[in-house]
């Protein structure tokens, strides 16, 4: 729970000592706080030839109220920004004293059709990266490679991954770098995702690749039985385009009911907390033995507590019955256990209970909630996977198998749920500071903490914020995906 | 080039010292040698419910001449093996003194349709892993998740990845673990791939996932203009099934012409060497300044040397002209350069030359060879990517971008080339001991070497052997894929 090294090297004496010894100095990450502006400062805009997303980006910049500066690669930005009534200027490279002046770098690579055109990205990041401040944000935007018309275009768009992940590793200082592929027709569904990646809410999410498809339900995320139409209630003062839907960005989950499993403590409690802060009514579930902690967590949030064992055979029916009357809009499958042992020493019971609780129980519960229409159309499912499910891990054959299976669930169910406007995604936490990781032996814990671009572990709230983004009504175009919350951990597959 | 630690800890004194100090003791990997049997010893067979690949596996085991022992999970194996006339027995778990008795573990998970059935994998590996000897082989076989009929089946098949990667990290002792997804209808196209993963040729390939599709051209890999029909010339003594094609497994590339770029030294020279050893006529290409080294390499192989700069504008036409008369069957895009710098310090020229040589030149050359029909139908393209292209790397924005683009090339062109029976794949080397990596500072070099399941760097021949497998006429069902040759490096995305 407690990274004392991080605190020490950010004290005046510790910083001096670390510098003289050449020790890593992890940045104190800026996280979202309700009492501070979420978006602030200068955002530099760059582009390759024929950028297709400028309209959407102008709407976004207007909506979040940042001031833009156009790099020379983005000549079309200035007149467009003027038409949108944005505060804008030109980026002057290599000015003395420009270091740290920028809060974000946004590059529209959507028009790049050939590998030779990638040099526009070099020009932009070469000029701007040193001017990006601590905990700054880098977002590269492209087209989904697999939907490109020619192999040359697919190749060039796919190449953006190598660049973005390298930028994340180079930038350090709490800076994140992510790549967002926007499908044709989805240009006006980008705001919820770009807000997340530009916000302090994504403090520990870096090196990720996210696709936004044109959603079946368009921008509202509200179809079928969703009566509360939260998506129509917000006000978007400055956004110029009539295509972009308006959300209440402060309370996007108002009127939504969210089930969170494993909600008593740790990451689950943080998820409940963040969803409630965004307006959701939280139904927290945990095992009967955690009832007191669950009640305490949920009482503060004015939610509903359910004490069930999700792995019990009767649990799906029991849960469906408990939720039937009011239904549910958001399901977060967070409950999970570990029973680590090398496979030669692992009992059949230890294997089976981990698979059952972490994976099979999710399958049974979703079947029950979907069959009964209890999870409403336009709903959101978010499952917690793990970096171990991606890369495998020593002593975790059962856990890694279950968490890889969660990825399969998300990939397999997304197309099936599309017609109902339901999205399903996974988050895969890396090293997160919890009671669980506090029990890891010191040397291994230190390695896990430092082997990422942030040189530190994440916080439960970081996982929770990523889940809230995926649960957002504006995330209708994001489905079937796995997003790591790992500070761009070195570890992967 | 020289891992002196590996040698030291495998000397009698070094081994004692390492043991007393608790230092890692990397295994001396068993690699392919023409003067030793490629396949030898006992292979244990396990299975989930309703294994679909047993026929193909029985053919394989007969063809490679190993003796099989059936785990209790594979009850159907014994009668089948008897029908195929195989030497077979039953695996007795936990026998005193059984440690190290097995050479390979093969599990057929193709019939698994639900996460609860994954327990069969626990049973098998729990019982057998300790009996697997040094440099043993683990292969798990399943169905491609994305082609599964139900989300439950997709989920369970996808879960196999988490298991296989965990087994690779647990097993150590030079053992590899890989997962092969076999599509319906491709059951009799598995032999070339399974031979590779069971052979010492795959010494440094672990934690990989490979898909075998039913190929457009079936098993022959010889269609259209390929006149030499190498695939019909081999003899398959013991393989029982009439569906399985026969290859000359010692000289599978006999009669084929293989272009290798960057062939003068290092990995390129090793590729030329291995392809020639498997019967190919090698056309080695390198820049004019490397002509002496190229000539020396190629002369030994009785090949053809071409001294060109692949990045020159006239190179594609020049190359097409040089190859036009006899054509080419295999193209290996190995030539590449690095010009490392952080992007803020990287010149435009350093960016552009790396992108151009590592990526754009490949595009131009393939266009020329494909347009003219110079790369014959049934051909093979293999491009060298890199772990940096997958994970990104500090100081390598240009290189990582180019190598991520190579992945895009492979993914985008595979469907287009399918009708002509041409496959295109990439290999992504991790830390390979070459003159290039010998220049890396010691501490970073040591980290790169040890941060993988083999606790050592790979050899150029390891990359070459993986390329030879992909170039094999029996690999017609393997296309659009990226295979890492990295000893299951921790580093990934």
């Amino acid at each position: 729970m407690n990274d004392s090294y991080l605190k020490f090297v950010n004290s005046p004496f510790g910083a001096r000592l670390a510098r003289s010894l050449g020790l890593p100095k992890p940045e104190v990450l800026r996280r979202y706080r309700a009492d501070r502006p979420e978006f602030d400062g200068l955002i530099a805009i760059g582009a390759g030839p024929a950028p297709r997303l400028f309209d959407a980006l102008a709407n976004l910049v207007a909506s979040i109220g940042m001031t833009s500066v156009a790099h020379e690669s983005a000549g079309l930005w200035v007149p467009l920004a003027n038409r949108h009534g944005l505060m804008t200027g030109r980026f002057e490279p290599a000015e003395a004293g420009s270091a740290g002046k920028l809060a974000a770098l946004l590059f529209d690579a959507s028009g790049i059709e050939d590998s030779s055109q990638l040099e526009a990205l070099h020009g932009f990041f070469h000029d701007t990266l040193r001017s990006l401040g601590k905990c700054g944000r880098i977002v590269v935007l492209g087209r989904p490679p697999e939907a490109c018309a020619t192999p040359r275009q697919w190749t060039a768009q796919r190449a953006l991954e190598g660049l973005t992940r390298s930028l994340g590793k180079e930038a350090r200082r709490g800076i994140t770098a992510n790549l967002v592929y926007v499908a044709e027709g989805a240009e006006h569904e980008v705001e919820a995702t770009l807000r997340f990646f530009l916000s302090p809410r994504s403090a520990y999410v870096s090196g990720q690749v996210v696709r936004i498809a044109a959603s079946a339900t368009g921008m509202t995320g509200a179809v079928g039985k969703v009566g509360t139409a939260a998506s129509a209630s917000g006000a978007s003062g400055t956004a110029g385009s009539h295509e972009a839907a308006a959300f209440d960005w402060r309370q996007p989950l108002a009127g939504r009911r969210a089930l969170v499993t494993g909600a008593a403590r740790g990451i689950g409690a943080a998820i409940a907390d963040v969803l409630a802060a965004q307006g959701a009514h939280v139904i927290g579930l945990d095992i009967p033995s955690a009832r007191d902690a669950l009640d305490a967590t949920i009482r503060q949030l004015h939610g509903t507590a359910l004490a069930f064992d999700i792995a019990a055979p009767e649990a799906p029916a029991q849960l469906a019955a408990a939720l039937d009357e009011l239904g549910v809009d958001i399901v977060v499958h967070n409950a999970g256990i570990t029973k680590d042992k090398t496979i030669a020493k692992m009992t059949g019971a230890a294997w089976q209970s981990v698979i059952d609780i972490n994976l099979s129980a999710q399958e049974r519960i979703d079947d029950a909630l979907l069959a009964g229409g209890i999870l409403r159309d336009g709903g959101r499912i978010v499952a917690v996977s793990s970096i171990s499910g991606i890369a495998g891990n020593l002593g975790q054959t059962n856990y890694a198998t279950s968490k890889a299976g969660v990825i399969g669930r998300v990939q397999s169910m997304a197309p099936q749920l599309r017609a109902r406007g339901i999205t399903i995604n996974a988050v895969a936490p890396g090293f997160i500071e919890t009671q669980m990781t506090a029990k890891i032996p010191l040397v291994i814990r230190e390695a896990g903490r430092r082997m990422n671009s942030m040189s530190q572990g994440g916080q439960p709230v970081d996982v929770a914020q990523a889940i809230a983004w995926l649960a957002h009504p504006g995330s209708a175009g994001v489905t079937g995906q796995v997003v790591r919350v790992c500070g761009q951990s070195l570890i992967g597959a």
Side-chain angles (χ1 to χ4, degrees), chain A:
Chain A
M1 312 282 274
N2 199 329
D3 184 342
S4 45
Y5 178 76
L6 173 70
K7 285 184 192 150
F8 174 70
V9 295
N10 282 287
S11 69
F13 171 71
R16 244 178 303 140
L17 188 68
R19 205 163 34 238
S20 69
L21 293 175
L23 295 175
K25 183 171 172 296
E27 203 66 44
V28 177
L29 301 184
R30 195 161 70 93
R31 290 189 165 85
Y32 174 76
R33 281 175 47 175
D35 62 351
R36 281 198 302 221
E38 187 170 356
F39 303 101
D40 204 8
L42 293 178
I43 182 166
I45 309 288
R52 314 285 187 204
L53 301 168
F54 266 15
D55 258 326
L57 298 182
N59 286 336
L60 168 79
V61 173
S63 177
I64 63 181
M66 289 180 80
T67 300
S68 63
V69 288
H71 180 257
E72 61 176 2
S73 62
L76 299 169
W77 181 261
V78 177
L80 179 77
N82 289 338
R83 278 203 303 283
H84 279 79
L86 300 181
M87 297 274 289
T88 197
R90 290 185 189 276
F91 175 75
E92 304 297 338
E95 252 176 42
S98 73
K101 286 279 176 67
L102 299 174
L105 309 179
L106 195 57
F107 190 96
D108 183 351
S110 60
I112 288 181
E113 296 185 340
D114 189 274
S115 54
S116 61
Q117 297 172 335
L118 293 164
E119 63 182 338
L121 289 134
H122 169 266
F124 178 69
F125 290 107
H126 172 75
D127 292 347
T128 59
L129 188 57
R130 274 199 277 215
S131 302
L132 185 60
K134 287 180 183 180
C135 301
R137 294 287 179 266
I138 297 170
V139 180
V140 176
L141 294 141
R143 292 296 199 190
E146 59 282 4
C148 288
T150 68
R152 292 274 180 115
Q153 189 182 359
W154 178 328
T155 296
Q157 291 292 328
R158 180 63 178 73
L160 299 174
E161 260 200 57
L163 174 72
T164 309
R165 295 192 202 272
S166 297
L167 289 173
K169 292 186 175 180
E170 260 182 45
R172 317 294 294 188
R173 296 183 289 133
I175 292 167
T176 64
N178 294 286
L179 172 60
V180 178
Y181 285 126
V182 183
E184 282 189 49
E187 290 82 358
H188 291 284
E189 303 199 40
V190 300
E191 187 168 345
T193 296
L194 294 185
R195 274 180 174 258
F196 175 68
F197 283 117
L198 292 173
S199 158
R201 295 182 196 269
S202 59
Y204 202 63
V205 182
S206 188
Q208 299 307 296
V209 181
V210 169
R211 284 164 168 78
I212 304 179
S215 67
T217 57
M219 280 302 288
T220 67
V223 295
K225 286 167 79 177
V226 177
T228 49
S231 57
S233 67
S236 162
T238 49
S241 167
H242 60 282
E243 290 108 324
F247 298 104
D248 178 350
W249 293 107
R250 276 150 204 255
Q251 292 271 300
L253 305 181
R256 314 249 159 172
R257 291 165 51 81
L259 171 69
V260 179
T261 69
R265 300 187 190 89
I267 292 174
I271 297 165
D273 194 45
V274 169
L275 297 183
Q278 300 197 7
H281 178 88
V282 172
I283 302 133
L285 185 154
D286 217 310
I287 47 174
S289 62
R291 187 191 291 267
D292 290 348
L294 179 69
D295 283 344
T297 299
I298 295 300
R299 195 176 311 120
Q300 293 175 49
L301 308 174
H302 310 291
T304 307
L306 295 175
F308 278 28
D309 175 3
I310 54 166
E314 66 278 11
Q318 219 175 343
L319 186 56
L323 298 175
D324 188 37
E325 198 179 339
L326 295 170
V328 67
D329 303 289
I330 297 161
V331 175
V332 182
H333 293 289
N334 165 71
I337 61 167
T338 56
K339 295 204 173 186
D340 296 357
K341 278 262 191 280
T342 58
I343 199 163
K345 293 183 179 168
M346 186 185 290
T347 64
W351 171 276
Q352 199 59 13
S353 65
V354 168
I355 299 288
D356 194 55
I357 292 171
N358 295 6
L359 178 59
S360 311
Q362 291 189 14
E363 296 181 301
R364 295 191 297 265
I365 287 171
D366 280 354
D367 282 356
L369 297 184
L370 287 165
I374 295 161
L375 176 60
R376 292 184 235 180
D377 291 359
R380 300 281 181 266
I381 303 173
V382 187
V384 178
S385 178
S386 163
I387 202 170
S388 288
I390 293 169
N393 199 9
L394 195 159
Q396 295 200 311
T397 46
N398 51 359
Y399 185 75
T401 301
S402 73
K403 295 299 189 179
V406 165
I407 294 172
R409 248 170 60 67
V410 155
Q411 292 172 333
S412 61
M413 291 186 63
Q416 302 224 339
L417 298 176
R418 195 173 160 74
R420 292 174 60 180
I422 298 172
T423 67
I424 178 166
N425 294 285
V427 295
F431 188 95
I432 304 295
E433 305 279 353
T434 62
Q435 288 178 334
M436 205 163 88
T437 51
K439 289 178 193 150
I440 298 173
L442 178 71
V443 174
I444 299 176
R445 189 167 75 230
E446 271 301 300
R449 271 181 179 154
R450 307 294 165 221
M451 278 171 58
N452 59 69
S453 294
M454 305 296 152
S455 299
Q456 61 192 284
Q459 296 293 332
V461 70
D462 299 328
V463 180
Q465 292 285 7
I467 289 172
W469 151 55
L470 294 166
H472 195 287
S475 298
V478 181
T479 190
Q481 300 188 48
V482 182
V483 180
R484 289 167 48 150
V485 181
C486 66
Q488 194 177 29
S489 170
L490 269 188
I491 297 170

